[in-house]
Amino acid sequence: VLEAYKQGLRPAVGYELNPWLLCLSHYRAWKAGYHGKVSFLKKDLWKVNLSDCHNVIVFLAPSVKPPLATKLLAELPDEARVVAGRFPFPSWTPTSTLGQGLEQVWAYDMKEVRRAAQSSAEGSRV
């Protein structure tokens, strides 16, 4: 969230249920001088409506990626970009990647992800 804010993405909001990680996030924002500029909310990602989000950054385990992919496809606008850290979305083709190993990230443009999903669905009907 801090890096998103530094890169000019507004608003910069993080969702976290773990109270310790939420506290750590608030502390790091304060320490970096971003208190009041970024937000960390104790909310369940699965219950948050993401339809107004245009930049989504996720650091989640591989087992969570398939159901999250379904949620993101259903809610995000075509103009949205999703960046996944540490683990890619297994059924999506990234628009770009950066880094290696534990520092690797994958970027996905939702318009392209949807186009690929529709092509795949049409191909499986034939």
Side-chain angles (χ1 to χ4, degrees):
V1 173
L2 298 180
E3 188 59 35
Y5 185 85
K6 289 177 193 176
Q7 296 299 321
L9 300 176
R10 310 281 192 284
V13 180
Y15 300 111
E16 179 59 60
L17 282 176
N18 182 317
W20 295 107
L21 293 177
L22 195 61
C23 185
L24 179 61
S25 298
H26 284 288
Y27 171 74
R28 286 185 175 168
W30 171 80
K31 188 175 177 185
Y34 293 107
H35 176 72
K37 297 177 182 175
V38 299
S39 300
F40 296 96
L41 306 175
K42 186 176 182 181
K43 290 194 175 186
D44 186 341
L45 178 64
W46 301 106
K47 295 178 182 174
V48 173
N49 183 333
L50 301 173
S51 62
D52 63 342
C53 295
H54 287 81
N55 295 284
V56 175
I57 303 166
V58 295
F59 290 91
L60 296 168
S63 62
V64 180
K65 294 292 174 73
L68 181 59
T70 301
K71 177 179 176 60
L72 296 175
L73 276 168
E75 295 180 11
L76 291 179
D78 276 348
E79 302 78 30
R81 173 167 265 204
V82 176
V83 176
R86 298 268 167 100
F87 305 105
F89 283 88
S91 61
W92 292 2
T93 301
T95 306
S96 61
T97 63
L98 181 66
Q100 294 180 341
L102 295 177
E103 300 300 318
Q104 187 168 5
V105 295
W106 295 260
Y108 306 90
D109 291 331
M110 290 309 295
K111 191 173 198 172
E112 296 302 317
V113 170
R114 283 195 179 93
R115 184 176 293 135
Q118 288 171 347
S119 295
S120 177
E122 289 170 3
S124 65
R125 284 187 243 155
V126 175

